[in-house]
Amino acid sequence: MRDHKLEMVFGTSRAIPLSYTQRKNVDDIFLESLDRQQHIVIYGSSKQGKTSLRKKHLEDSKYISFSCRSDLDIIGINRLILKNAGFQIIVSEKKSSSGKINVKATAGVNLFAKAEGGISYEKESQNETEKKSLELELEDTNDVIKALKSVKFNKIILIEDFHYLKKQTQIDFASALKIYHENSAVMFIIVGVWLEENRLIGLNGDLAGRITSINSDLWSAEDLTRVIENGSRLLNIKFENNLIDKIIQQSFDNVFFVQELCYKICREFRIVKTVAIDAPSDKGLGSFEEGGYEYVEEIDFEDSRFLIKDNFNIETIIKEIIGQQSAR
């Protein structure tokens, strides 16, 4: 059996936990929406799996991303979109007919790519590139779309922490999202911490039917049980059924609490990696050694995994988790 470190299986980290569990009403909807190229909104409480969901199903090469700040307006968002798409933004000396300041967006274009707009390039060197510049207004979504089309942009745009934006900026972007949907193939994934199912539709009713909202808070008892079981098998351990029930009841359908409880229970039993059980006897007792301590306990007869019994005070561990989160 391959060894797995405890922190990679249970708990919270920057990586996807190895105990990750797919959910029909979350993962399946996300994958279906990707296939249909619909805009996706992933919302819910903090630490309920929003980041893990998109990391699980979306390769890094398939998207560009940025995180929102409270001082961003729609111009700032458009600037970040173009910057992450590979453009350099330079303020132009010219102004538009409406009096708004223009910018020049410049991107490197491979000389051997098919030229647009009747422009052709002469082949000189395999590595040579030509700079393509566009005059545009950053307030105008149509100009941003034109710039993205000019470089054949075909990645998803991921916007994190959408909830940090001011209300007016959220409204402005909701209006822009409709234009993206109608005038381009650009797809957005928007991630935020809120509980309303249709926040963006509430900001712009025209988005109805154009976006899919996914609630990351939807964790059933069956889902959480599978999280525990998936992680347990990787560590060659088994939580007693009564203990599993208690973990789920005390977590209030919150996967973060389930992950942290499992992590701390394992630490309580000095389990820091996949357990290798030594010579169980006919009484079902086995042992393993970790950190200089030998631990002896029952094993499960059915599959010979180390058995963690419900014989300690889980409430103490819960208070510890709550205290740590309150301090943050």
Side-chain angles (χ1 to χ4, degrees):
M1 176 180 288
R2 180 183 174 186
D3 277 352
H4 299 284
K5 293 183 178 180
L6 171 61
E7 60 268 22
M8 299 301 294
V9 177
F10 286 130
T12 54
S13 66
R14 294 182 181 181
I16 305 172
L18 297 178
S19 56
Y20 184 90
T21 297
Q22 293 194 193
R23 296 169 282 168
K24 287 186 177 181
N25 53 359
V26 175
D27 295 70
D28 288 3
I29 294 174
F30 182 80
L31 290 170
E32 180 185 351
S33 299
L34 287 178
D35 289 339
R36 297 178 65 186
Q37 295 186 315
Q38 289 185 327
H39 300 308
I40 300 173
V41 177
I42 307 173
Y43 70 97
S45 307
S46 181
K47 299 178 181 177
Q48 285 290 80
K50 294 184 292 296
T51 300
S52 291
L53 173 65
R54 58 94 173 165
K55 281 186 175 181
K56 179 70 175 179
H57 302 296
L58 203 58
E59 297 176 12
D60 291 347
S61 61
K62 299 295 185 182
Y63 67 91
I64 62 171
S65 67
F66 61 88
S67 296
C68 296
R69 308 183 309 268
S70 60
D71 61 341
L72 272 182
D73 56 11
I74 192 65
I75 292 177
I77 290 175
N78 288 340
R79 185 186 296 271
L80 284 171
I81 289 173
L82 292 175
K83 178 181 177 182
N84 284 280
F87 286 89
Q88 291 180 320
I89 308 296
I90 302 172
V91 177
S92 172
E93 294 180 358
K94 290 193 270 183
K95 289 188 177 182
S96 67
S97 58
S98 62
K100 296 178 180 178
I101 297 176
N102 282 2
V103 299
K104 181 177 289 187
T106 305
V109 180
N110 192 300
L111 288 180
F112 310 109
K114 182 179 178 182
E116 294 184 355
I119 302 173
S120 62
Y121 298 105
E122 182 178 348
K123 178 176 178 179
E124 293 183 7
S125 166
Q126 193 68 26
N127 297 318
E128 190 171 353
T129 59
E130 179 76 14
K131 295 292 185 181
K132 178 181 286 189
S133 296
L134 298 169
E135 292 280 350
L136 54 85
E137 295 179 12
L138 279 179
E139 300 98 323
D140 191 340
T141 301
N142 291 295
D143 276 7
V144 178
I145 291 173
K146 179 175 68 175
L148 294 174
K149 284 182 176 179
S150 75
V151 294
K152 297 182 174 61
F153 179 81
N154 61 357
K155 294 187 178 183
I156 295 169
I157 300 175
L158 171 66
I159 301 181
E160 300 267 18
D161 299 325
F162 190 79
H163 55 284
Y164 284 147
L165 296 175
K166 294 178 181 177
K167 182 67 174 291
Q168 186 57 52
T169 305
Q170 293 185 23
I171 293 172
D172 293 341
F173 181 77
S175 297
L177 201 58
K178 176 178 178 289
I179 299 173
Y180 277 109
H181 182 85
E182 293 180 341
N183 299 334
S184 78
V186 176
M187 177 181 169
F188 284 84
I189 296 178
I190 299 152
V191 182
V193 177
W194 61 77
L195 300 179
E196 308 99 302
E197 181 176 0
N198 295 311
R199 171 175 284 200
L200 267 73
I201 295 175
L203 298 174
N204 182 2
D206 289 337
L207 290 177
R210 293 180 166 93
I211 62 175
T212 299
S213 296
I214 299 176
N215 183 359
S216 66
D217 283 5
L218 296 178
W219 286 97
S220 68
E222 292 77 13
D223 294 330
L224 296 173
T225 299
R226 283 190 288 118
V227 169
I228 298 171
E229 182 60 20
N230 289 346
S232 299
R233 289 194 175 277
L234 292 171
L235 294 171
N236 198 31
I237 62 176
K238 183 171 183 177
F239 290 92
E240 196 172 46
N241 289 335
N242 288 342
L243 181 56
I244 291 176
D245 293 341
K246 190 175 292 186
I247 290 171
I248 293 173
Q249 290 169 6
Q250 295 290 344
S251 71
F252 299 102
D253 299 330
N254 187 305
V255 71
F256 165 74
F257 267 92
V258 169
Q259 289 278 8
E260 285 295 299
L261 275 170
C262 290
Y263 174 84
K264 290 185 178 297
I265 289 170
C266 287
R267 295 290 301 187
E268 188 80 10
F269 282 79
R270 298 190 287 278
I271 297 169
V272 296
K273 64 179 181 180
T274 302
V275 173
I277 298 176
D278 298 326
S281 70
D282 56 2
K283 295 182 180 179
L285 292 178
S287 69
F288 70 93
E289 187 172 329
E290 186 62 49
Y293 296 94
E294 184 179 32
Y295 202 92
V296 179
E297 183 57 279
E298 291 185 24
I299 65 169
D300 184 78
F301 281 108
E302 185 177 340
D303 51 20
S304 298
R305 287 185 286 164
F306 182 81
L307 182 64
I308 298 182
K309 303 181 72 173
D310 180 19
N311 56 5
F312 59 95
N313 189 353
I314 193 174
E315 285 75 16
T316 301
I317 299 177
I318 292 172
K319 288 179 181 178
E320 181 184 346
I321 296 172
I322 294 174
Q324 289 173 346
Q325 294 307 303
S326 299
R328 292 175 183 175

